[in-house]
């Protein structure tokens, strides 16, 4: 099985989960391929982010959504489409966790694979 974060970026955010205030979120688009099947998933995780060095990800405030699962392999065209729709999926996941991602306030530059 091969797992690749096609996209990963950290943003300022707000969320209170399990009684802990979270001020950061990491958003990912992950591709997993295994035995000729490709799966794409959007994931978010809210974390405390108390200072500029605090990237201690807490996995209790995590949600993900599978957006594609079929025979095939990675496709740059498909990935571009999913990146265009990423904010929509991530905002839905954030809302389910009671949080909000501030897309206009990135903490770090995006990383693409």
């Amino acid at each position: 099985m091969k797992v690749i974060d096609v996209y990963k970026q950290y943003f300022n955010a707000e969320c209170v989960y399990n009684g802990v205030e979270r001020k950061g979120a990491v958003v990912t688009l992950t591709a997993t391929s295994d035995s000729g099947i490709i799966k794409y998933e959007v994931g978010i995780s809210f974390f405390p982010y108390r200072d500029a060095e605090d990237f201690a990800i807490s996995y209790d405030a995590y949600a993900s959504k599978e957006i594609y699962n079929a025979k095939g392999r990675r496709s740059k065209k498909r990935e571009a489409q999913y990146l265009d729709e990423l904010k929509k999926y991530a905002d839905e996941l954030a809302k389910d966790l009671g949080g909000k991602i501030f897309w206009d306030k990135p903490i770090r530059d995006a990383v693409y694979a």
Side-chain angles (χ1 to χ4, degrees):
M1 181 181 322
K2 188 171 186 181
V3 179
I4 298 171
D5 281 335
V6 174
Y7 165 88
K8 183 175 188 176
Q9 189 167 13
Y10 295 81
F11 294 91
N12 282 293
E14 64 181 23
C15 182
V16 176
Y17 196 85
N18 282 341
V20 177
E21 184 177 19
R22 314 331 168 89
K23 294 185 177 187
V26 59
V27 179
T28 58
L29 173 64
T30 304
T32 304
S33 63
D34 189 27
S35 303
I37 303 292
I38 185 77
K39 175 175 81 168
Y40 286 94
E41 181 177 67
V42 173
I44 65 166
S45 182
F46 289 100
F47 60 98
Y49 192 59
R50 295 180 182 97
D51 62 53
E53 301 299 317
D54 181 13
F55 287 90
I57 304 301
S58 50
Y59 293 97
D60 62 338
Y62 172 81
S64 66
K65 179 176 183 152
E66 185 177 285
I67 58 174
Y68 184 83
N69 187 337
K71 287 184 179 182
R73 55 184 166 182
R74 282 186 71 187
S75 161
K76 294 292 182 185
K77 183 178 177 181
R78 188 180 306 124
E79 289 174 5
Q81 174 190 345
Y82 296 150
L83 286 170
D84 285 344
E85 300 170 348
L86 182 91
K87 288 181 183 180
K88 176 186 76 165
Y89 291 120
D91 283 339
E92 290 171 5
L93 294 169
K95 184 178 177 183
D96 290 345
L97 293 171
K100 180 173 175 61
I101 301 164
F102 299 114
W103 297 105
D104 60 337
K105 296 181 181 179
I107 296 171
R108 291 199 169 168
D109 290 335
V111 176
Y112 297 90

